[in-house]
Coordinates of all heavy atoms in Angstrom, one line a residue:
Chain W
D44 N -5.4 -3.6 49.9 CA -4.9 -4.7 50.8 C -3.8 -5.4 50.0 O -2.8 -5.8 50.6 CB -6.0 -5.6 51.2 CG -6.7 -5.1 52.4 OD1 -6.4 -4.0 52.9 OD2 -7.7 -5.7 52.8
V45 N -4.0 -5.7 48.7 CA -3.0 -6.5 48.0 C -1.6 -5.7 48.0 O -0.6 -6.4 48.0 CB -3.5 -6.8 46.6 CG1 -3.7 -5.6 45.7 CG2 -2.5 -7.8 45.9
G49 N -0.4 -7.8 51.0 CA -0.2 -8.9 50.1 C -1.5 -9.8 50.2 O -1.4 -10.9 49.7
S50 N -2.6 -9.4 50.8 CA -3.8 -10.2 50.8 C -4.4 -10.1 49.4 O -4.6 -9.0 48.9 CB -4.8 -9.6 51.8 OG -6.1 -10.1 51.4
N51 N -4.7 -11.3 48.8 CA -5.2 -11.3 47.5 C -6.7 -11.5 47.4 O -7.2 -11.9 46.4 CB -4.5 -12.4 46.7 CG -3.0 -12.1 46.5 OD1 -2.7 -11.0 45.9 ND2 -2.1 -12.9 47.0
A52 N -7.4 -11.3 48.6 CA -8.8 -11.6 48.7 C -9.6 -10.8 47.6 O -10.7 -11.3 47.2 CB -9.3 -11.3 50.1
N53 N -9.2 -9.6 47.2 CA -9.9 -8.9 46.2 C -9.4 -9.0 44.8 O -9.8 -8.4 43.9 CB -9.9 -7.4 46.6 CG -10.9 -7.1 47.6 OD1 -11.7 -7.9 48.0 ND2 -10.9 -5.8 48.1
C54 N -8.3 -9.9 44.7 CA -7.5 -9.9 43.4 C -7.9 -11.0 42.5 O -7.6 -12.2 42.8 CB -6.1 -9.9 43.8 SG -5.0 -9.9 42.4
L55 N -8.6 -10.7 41.4 CA -8.8 -11.7 40.4 C -7.5 -11.9 39.7 O -6.8 -10.9 39.2 CB -9.8 -11.1 39.4 CG -10.4 -12.1 38.3 CD1 -11.3 -13.1 38.9 CD2 -11.1 -11.3 37.2
Q91 N -17.2 -8.4 39.2 CA -16.4 -8.4 40.4 C -16.6 -7.2 41.2 O -16.2 -6.1 40.8 CB -14.9 -8.6 40.0 CG -14.5 -9.9 39.4 CD -14.6 -11.0 40.4 OE1 -14.4 -10.8 41.6 NE2 -15.0 -12.2 40.0
P93 N -15.0 -5.8 43.7 CA -13.9 -4.9 44.0 C -13.4 -4.1 42.8 O -12.6 -3.2 42.9 CB -12.8 -5.8 44.6 CG -13.5 -7.1 44.8 CD -14.6 -7.2 43.9
Chain D
W167 N -1.5 -16.8 46.4 CA -2.6 -17.7 46.7 C -3.7 -16.8 47.4 O -3.5 -15.6 47.7 CB -2.2 -18.8 47.7 CG -1.4 -18.4 48.8 CD1 0.0 -18.4 48.9 CD2 -1.9 -17.9 50.1 NE1 0.4 -17.9 50.2 CE2 -0.7 -17.6 50.9 CE3 -3.1 -17.7 50.7 CZ2 -0.8 -17.1 52.2 CZ3 -3.3 -17.2 51.9 CH2 -2.1 -16.9 52.7
G168 N -4.8 -17.4 47.7 CA -5.9 -16.7 48.4 C -6.6 -15.7 47.5 O -7.3 -14.8 48.0
Y169 N -6.5 -15.8 46.2 CA -7.1 -14.8 45.3 C -8.5 -15.2 44.9 O -9.0 -16.3 45.3 CB -6.3 -14.8 44.0 CG -5.8 -16.1 43.5 CD1 -6.6 -17.0 42.8 CD2 -4.4 -16.4 43.7 CE1 -6.1 -18.2 42.4 CE2 -3.9 -17.6 43.2 CZ -4.8 -18.5 42.6 OH -4.3 -19.7 42.1
V170 N -9.2 -14.3 44.3 CA -10.6 -14.5 43.8 C -10.6 -15.6 42.8 O -9.7 -15.7 41.9 CB -11.1 -13.2 43.2 CG1 -12.5 -13.5 42.6 CG2 -11.2 -12.1 44.2
K171 N -11.6 -16.5 42.8 CA -11.8 -17.5 41.8 C -13.1 -17.4 41.2 O -14.1 -17.5 41.8 CB -11.6 -18.9 42.4 CG -10.2 -19.2 42.8 CD -10.0 -20.3 43.8 CE -8.6 -20.3 44.4 NZ -8.4 -19.4 45.5

Side-chain angles (χ1 to χ4, degrees):
Chain W
D44 280 357
V45 64
S50 159
N51 294 303
N53 280 355
C54 182
L55 188 72
Q91 288 295 327
Chain D
W167 48 267
Y169 40 75
V170 176
K171 286 158 195 88

